[in-house]
Amino acid sequence: MEDVIVVTGPSTLNGSVTVPGAKNSVLKLMAATLLAQGRSTITNVPNIQDVWIMAELLRRLGCAVDYDADAAEVRIDVPAVPGHQADYDLVRAMRASISVLGPLVARCRRAEVALPGGDAIGSRGLDMHRSGLEAMGTSISIDHGYLIASVPDGLRGARHVLDFPSVGATENIMMAATLARGTTVIDNAAREPEITDIARMLCSMGARISGIGTNTLVIEGVERLAPVTHRVVPDRIVAGTWAFAAAITGGNIEVRNADPRALTVVLDKLAQAGCAVETRQDGFTVKGPSRPEPINVSTLPYPGFPTDLQPFVVALNAVSTGSGMVTENVFEARWGFTSELARLGAVVRLDGHHALIQGVSRLSGAPVEANDIRAGAALVIAGLAAEGTTEVRGVDHIDRGYERFMDSLRGLGANVLRRRS
């Protein structure tokens, strides 16, 4: 038995939604609390499955975690000596669990973290995490499915150039470097807003980080950090999801508690698709055309077009007035969902990391299955643009990244239900 989302289309989405805190930030912020003994409080926390998983992981490391989903707040009491082993049963469910590696090495001088799992969207090796920590004096090996890190004499600052602006590697190295002796420089660092959020929290804890928001981070190590209260930035990927939902269904959606500056490229592309886009300081509104124009998109690290919104571009082009090209430069296996979209009548031709999508006048409902968070949400929205009934399986993926997804859809006028099947 599993949960299935049943979508009856076509349906036009109209109304307003409020964006919660960012999934891709809060999980790392929770890991960062390991760097300081005492109680840290994180607010604007989304009620998603991944937060519950990270809370349990921290409990197993000896922390007392009080997660109040109704108040959107998590309080984490970190002991003087945290545990140092992150178990496989939790790490396999969520790749972000690897973010405890840097803090544990910095605090405990030892860490044993199971090799991670997560979404099936392509290779995301740990080589850059490993090389960055090794440059700081850490000895790392892999044994029985665990990454084992040890630095008996403590971390020392180093200069490290990332081969690619990896978000996860930037985060792990930056967090570890806050308690290292000397100065650490990360060149070709990722620049995502979520990394800026983490860096600002670390600075509130007493870290010394310069270059925040640029591709060169300079971290001067300190002896200790202090617990803090920190508010999570809005989730730009959730905000982008609702923007595309308006474009794909020909609707009109006001997106609240969102920073349009974090979605400049996305909103520009939606304007090219024929949407009317209005921005303000704390949100934006997207009004979709009766049928969108096709757009060409290449995914890139921030500030480029985010890979997490790539499935929605494919879905938009599938109902567009012509042909659009999408190029995936970040995760090579992110095309897996296109075969499911094709079951709805989408015309997609793949060639390496390119996809050519020919728009059709109307999709048709069919059973489909999600294999990652964003693909799941994109399939549901595509179902809203289709004639008849679409059943989406694999909805546990959606639970990992979207707070009250069904409530938000119904509030916008969607005919959706969730049932056991």
Side-chain angles (χ1 to χ4, degrees):
M1 298 288 290
E2 64 174 325
D3 280 9
V4 176
I5 293 179
V6 181
V7 184
T8 302
S11 182
T12 300
L13 300 185
N14 294 289
S16 64
V17 290
T18 300
V19 175
K23 165 189 178 292
N24 290 336
S25 182
V26 67
L27 303 175
K28 321 303 176 57
L29 295 171
M30 292 173 71
T33 64
L34 290 166
L35 291 164
Q37 179 184 355
R39 172 177 287 192
S40 285
T41 301
I42 302 173
T43 63
N44 196 35
V45 175
N47 184 5
I48 55 176
Q49 189 61 35
D50 276 12
V51 171
W52 293 99
I53 295 172
M54 181 61 81
E56 179 58 26
L57 175 59
L58 292 177
R59 289 187 186 103
R60 294 196 195 178
L61 292 172
C63 302
V65 183
D66 180 13
Y67 175 31
D68 186 340
D70 292 333
E73 182 174 289
V74 61
R75 294 174 290 277
I76 303 167
D77 284 288
V78 179
V81 183
H84 63 265
Q85 180 170 309
D87 295 329
Y88 173 70
D89 64 321
L90 293 174
V91 178
R92 69 183 291 272
M94 183 184 66
R95 186 176 179 84
S97 302
I98 196 64
S99 60
V100 301
L101 176 63
L104 289 180
V105 170
R107 277 294 306 284
C108 305
R109 300 190 177 185
R110 178 175 175 81
E112 297 179 16
V113 181
L115 296 176
D119 290 332
I121 56 175
S123 172
R124 297 193 284 186
L126 300 178
D127 290 351
M128 285 182 280
H129 300 246
R130 180 172 180 168
S131 61
L133 292 174
E134 286 177 334
M136 299 165 71
T138 308
S139 173
I140 298 179
S141 62
I142 295 176
D143 189 27
H144 298 290
Y146 278 81
L147 190 152
I148 300 174
S150 176
V151 56
D153 297 326
L155 294 167
R156 60 177 184 271
R159 187 179 197 98
H160 187 68
V161 181
L162 293 174
D163 295 336
F164 177 85
S166 162
V167 171
T170 299
E171 292 164 343
N172 251 328
I173 298 167
M174 176 176 66
M175 288 189 286
T178 60
L179 295 179
R181 298 190 306 275
T183 301
T184 299
V185 178
I186 308 173
D187 281 323
N188 198 28
R191 300 165 54 191
E192 274 71 4
E194 296 80 16
I195 289 177
T196 296
D197 193 27
I198 298 163
R200 287 174 176 165
M201 174 172 154
L202 292 171
C203 288
S204 296
M205 297 170 74
R208 298 174 181 171
I209 305 173
S210 59
I212 296 171
T214 75
N215 59 6
T216 300
L217 293 172
V218 180
I219 305 103
E220 297 179 29
V222 298
E223 287 190 12
R224 65 179 58 85
L225 298 177
V228 293
T229 296
H230 181 84
R231 180 177 175 83
V232 185
V233 295
D235 196 315
R236 63 193 172 100
I237 303 303
V238 171
T241 296
W242 297 122
F244 272 99
I248 292 168
T249 68
N252 189 349
I253 299 178
E254 178 191 12
V255 182
R256 300 172 177 170
N257 188 40
D259 183 358
R261 296 170 300 178
L263 289 167
T264 300
V265 174
V266 173
L267 296 177
D268 285 348
K269 286 294 181 180
L270 287 172
Q272 292 176 25
C275 296
V277 180
E278 296 181 4
T279 64
R280 57 185 185 280
Q281 186 174 357
D282 62 347
F284 56 86
T285 299
V286 175
K287 183 178 181 180
S290 57
R291 192 173 171 196
E293 297 293 321
I295 53 177
N296 298 323
V297 166
S298 294
T299 66
L300 290 168
Y302 188 85
F305 194 96
T307 180
D308 278 353
L309 291 178
Q310 179 253 87
F312 303 95
V313 181
V314 176
L316 180 144
N317 281 338
V319 296
S320 73
T321 59
S323 298
M325 178 75 75
V326 180
T327 301
E328 176 55 58
N329 294 307
V330 181
F331 292 131
E332 74 281 359
R334 195 144 220 169
W335 299 126
F337 94 104
T338 59
S339 60
E340 298 300 303
L341 193 64
R343 291 177 53 78
L344 301 180
V347 180
V348 183
R349 188 168 65 209
L350 300 178
D351 182 9
H353 62 124
H354 304 287
L356 178 65
I357 305 99
Q358 173 66 53
V360 297
S361 59
R362 180 72 73 188
L363 300 174
S364 58
V368 293
E369 183 162 2
N371 68 344
D372 73 73
I373 297 170
R374 311 307 169 185
L379 287 169
V380 171
I381 292 169
L384 292 170
E387 293 277 2
T389 301
T390 298
E391 293 190 2
V392 182
R393 296 183 180 274
V395 299
D396 55 312
H397 289 291
I398 298 174
D399 294 338
R400 291 183 47 223
Y402 290 88
E403 177 182 278
R404 301 182 180 92
F405 189 57
M406 298 292 288
D407 291 343
S408 296
L409 286 170
R410 292 191 191 101
L412 294 170
N415 186 349
V416 293
L417 62 89
R418 182 166 177 162
R419 61 173 172 80
R420 298 287 285 173
S421 176

